[in-house]
Amino acid sequence: MRRGKKAELPVAKSTPVKSAWRALIWLGAIVVALGVVLAGGVQFSHAGWAPKLGLDLEGGTEIILAPQLEHGAKITSDELNQAVSIIRQRIDASGVSEAQINVQSGNNIDVTIPGRHLDNSTRQRIEASSKMELRPVLVAGAATAPVPSPSATAGAKALSNTPKTKPKNGSDPAWVTPALQQKFTDLDCKTAENKLTSVQDPNKPLVTCDDAGQNKYILGPVEVDGSSISDASAGLVTSQSGVTTGEWAVNVTFSGQGKTNFATVSKRLYALEQANQNDPRARFAFVIDGKVLEAPSMNGIITNGQAQITGGFTETSAKNLANELKFGALPVSFRVQSNNTISSTLGSSQLKSGLLAGLIGLGLVVLYTLFQYRLLGLVTITSLLGSAVITYLVIVLLSWRIDYRLSLAGVAGLIVAIGFTADSFIVYFERIRDELREGRGLASAVEAGWKRARHTIYASKATNLLAAIVLYVLAVGDVQGFAFTLGVTTVIDVIIVLLFTHPTLRLLARTNYFATGHKMSGLDPEAHGVAVYRGAGHFRTHVTERRESKLASSGREAAKRQTIAERKAAEREAAKVGQGTGGKES
């Protein structure tokens, strides 16, 4: 050791056995974590131990929406398709899966959602699906109307509803005629029926209430159409220094002509707010189905189309408003024509048939692996069982957290995954056999076989996952259920191969039963022609030795059938060969 240099201590490397046990512990931790989360959901939330079923297996709720049109107006096919797309987005945003939304009887939209008991928030989201309008506030007040006297009621009939002067803009007080003011005064939001819809003339003012029935308004004509809202999201407000204030807000993005119109309105309303902070005309109302969702004040000039709504939101209310703003801009207004509970189209018998098909497929895979790989096939069977446990826990958790529902198409995806999962193990096992045929020991063959097999496995699983993603994005309805389960099982398959199959084979390779190639182990060298070192730098296989033994035996039989003259001639020829090479005759 040289002076001035420190001795370098050897670094302990992780052995294959330690790595194998570490992987198995990780897998156990994943299973336990999934089980604990699910148990907590069952105990403290509305989770269950079984997955939710789709519309074809359980039944659901059917809501038929009919368009509300002015007399003589018609709805086009493009508007219907746009409405179907928006309603589907609104339902997906609420976490409901496997919903079916179709055009029915020319103009109506049929919305069918799985589950006999539809939650109120989802029901309201569908039933309130109508056209959105953005109007300036002219007058705001308390929701309750004073008790009118008979003379006041008679006088109100004679009031004019025509502005004396032409209004200059949407916030001009000239819009508020005596008749409109009287209508506002008489309106009682606590008792008024919800008969207002988006078929109200967008070029005229509107007297209405907010959706909570707490405030009433006189609104100016529509100045920004709701269809110009390209995005809306909920988030926490941050200060200029980037620090979160803890206040929830709704961020709204306008595009196209709506961006320009909103910039014009914001300049006017901000000027009113600067002149008088209590002026209701400094506010802008978001209106859906004739009801005011929110009427915030304008606190700045917004020219980039990025607006932020604040005002006492909770996380839930902010997200709900963001969803309504984002998915509420239907081309026309709809009303609920009927609301019915429907039975399943396939029922439990088809589910049992699907599960039976899965069990038959699993049984065939088990028989094949045991026949082909003997006891080594138990690794495949155990891997499939582990994959089934994790898949079941994941599906149930998704049913709880995102309201995922298992349809018959989803069951088909799970059945197909059995074959894909078994394929990974077969690729790995055959690579190990190839390494054994080249003369490697079992432990070395497992490591070398894994290096060769994993690239094939990863490429195969990446292809499956990509196909599932593309199918899920491009398809709708039941096909999405198939693609979803196929994608989930593909990811779980990779986890099982990494954390169970490979580690288990690492451990088995170091046992005498498998390392010595017992006939029932599936690694019998005689059965697979495995190369065995015979000394002097030569390898022979049991198959080769049997072939050479047969050739020698056939040679001896041929010698027995020779005549005496043939045998003597052969002996003289052998003697000459021996003399030519320096040999001596005995």
Side-chain angles (χ1 to χ4, degrees), residues 431-474:
R431 292 293 182 270
I432 293 175
R433 286 181 169 182
D434 290 342
E435 297 296 331
L436 291 173
R437 293 187 184 99
E438 294 178 4
R440 292 181 181 271
L442 180 57
S444 177
V446 167
E447 300 303 324
W450 171 247
K451 291 180 180 178
R452 295 175 60 185
R454 64 184 179 185
H455 298 294
T456 304
I457 294 173
Y458 292 158
S460 173
K461 299 310 168 187
T463 302
N464 292 343
L465 184 59
L466 181 61
I469 292 174
V470 172
L471 190 61
Y472 183 84
V473 172
L474 298 181

Side-chain angles (χ1 to χ4, degrees), residues 7-26:
E8 295 182 359
L9 299 176
V11 179
K13 295 183 178 180
S14 177
T15 65
V17 174
K18 290 183 179 179
S19 298
W21 281 113
R22 189 181 301 114
L24 292 174
I25 291 173
W26 272 108

Side-chain angles (χ1 to χ4, degrees), residues 53-77:
L53 300 180
L55 183 65
D56 54 353
L57 299 175
E58 184 185 19
T61 303
E62 181 184 47
I63 298 176
I64 297 179
L65 302 175
Q68 284 189 287
L69 305 171
E70 294 181 342
H71 182 69
K74 295 182 179 180
I75 185 171
T76 65
S77 58

Side-chain angles (χ1 to χ4, degrees), residues 338-530:
S338 64
N339 188 335
N340 304 309
T341 300
I342 60 175
S343 60
S344 62
T345 57
L346 295 176
S348 59
S349 60
Q350 277 71 14
L351 177 60
K352 292 178 181 178
S353 299
L355 295 177
L356 179 60
L359 291 176
I360 293 174
L362 180 61
L364 293 175
V365 171
V366 169
L367 291 177
Y368 172 80
T369 53
L370 291 177
F371 174 78
Q372 182 71 14
Y373 300 105
R374 305 297 191 276
L375 290 182
L376 192 63
L378 293 177
V379 178
T380 302
I381 297 171
T382 310
S383 299
L384 287 172
L385 293 176
S387 178
V389 171
I390 295 179
T391 301
Y392 184 84
L393 291 174
V394 169
I395 293 297
V396 176
L397 285 172
L398 292 175
S399 295
W400 167 41
R401 297 307 304 167
I402 65 172
D403 199 32
Y404 171 76
R405 292 180 177 273
L406 186 63
S407 64
L408 198 60
V411 174
L414 298 178
I415 295 173
V416 171
I418 296 175
F420 289 159
T421 302
D423 179 66
S424 302
F425 309 142
I426 293 174
V427 170
Y428 186 18
F429 294 163
E430 290 301 326
R431 292 293 182 270
I432 293 175
R433 286 181 169 182
D434 290 342
E435 297 296 331
L436 291 173
R437 293 187 184 99
E438 294 178 4
R440 292 181 181 271
L442 180 57
S444 177
V446 167
E447 300 303 324
W450 171 247
K451 291 180 180 178
R452 295 175 60 185
R454 64 184 179 185
H455 298 294
T456 304
I457 294 173
Y458 292 158
S460 173
K461 299 310 168 187
T463 302
N464 292 343
L465 184 59
L466 181 61
I469 292 174
V470 172
L471 190 61
Y472 183 84
V473 172
L474 298 181
V476 295
D478 292 341
V479 180
Q480 277 190 324
F482 173 82
F484 184 83
T485 53
L486 184 61
V488 169
T489 51
T490 298
V491 175
I492 294 175
D493 179 21
V494 175
I495 295 174
I496 290 294
V497 172
L498 286 173
L499 300 184
F500 182 81
T501 308
H502 178 49
T504 301
L505 285 177
R506 275 182 157 183
L507 297 177
L508 294 179
R510 285 158 176 79
T511 62
N512 291 330
Y513 185 84
F514 285 91
T516 56
H518 191 278
K519 289 186 177 182
M520 291 301 297
S521 67
L523 298 171
D524 180 15
E526 184 174 356
H528 303 293
V530 176

Side-chain angles (χ1 to χ4, degrees), residues 134-172:
L134 284 77
R135 295 171 176 259
V137 176
L138 297 173
V139 179
T144 305
V147 178
S149 63
S151 59
T153 303
K157 296 180 180 180
L159 295 177
S160 173
N161 199 26
T162 303
K164 295 181 179 180
T165 59
K166 185 178 181 180
K168 298 178 180 179
N169 52 56
S171 300
D172 195 327

